[in-house]
Amino acid sequence: MRKVIEVTHCDACDKKGEEREATTALSVAGESWDLCNEHGLKFRDYFVALFNTEMTTAQSA
């Protein structure tokens, strides 16, 4: 029996020539990006600041 494991890499790291495993996905208006934990947190913080929301509000949405 053979098992195939597919690893998805972070799109942001890939642009810098690095290979890091994606742990989260970001989707906005039909566009999607796979992100590592570091980039996922950066985008989360960006959107929290952009929409002037608190972290607890953003996490529950």
Side-chain angles (χ1 to χ4, degrees):
M1 180 180 209
R2 197 182 226 190
K3 189 175 193 180
V4 177
I5 299 173
E6 183 179 323
V7 176
T8 303
H9 291 113
C10 174
D11 292 325
C13 288
D14 190 50
K15 284 199 138 223
K16 297 188 297 184
E18 300 173 5
E19 284 188 3
R20 291 182 69 187
E21 185 175 352
T23 58
T24 191
L26 171 66
S27 296
V28 178
E31 297 290 331
S32 294
W33 300 269
D34 296 308
L35 303 170
C36 64
N37 189 55
E38 180 184 346
H39 282 110
L41 292 174
K42 284 183 180 181
F43 277 99
R44 180 204 60 195
D45 293 346
Y46 172 76
F47 282 111
V48 167
L50 178 68
F51 295 118
N52 230 1
T53 58
E54 295 181 25
M55 290 295 248
T56 54
T57 305
Q59 290 174 350
S60 65

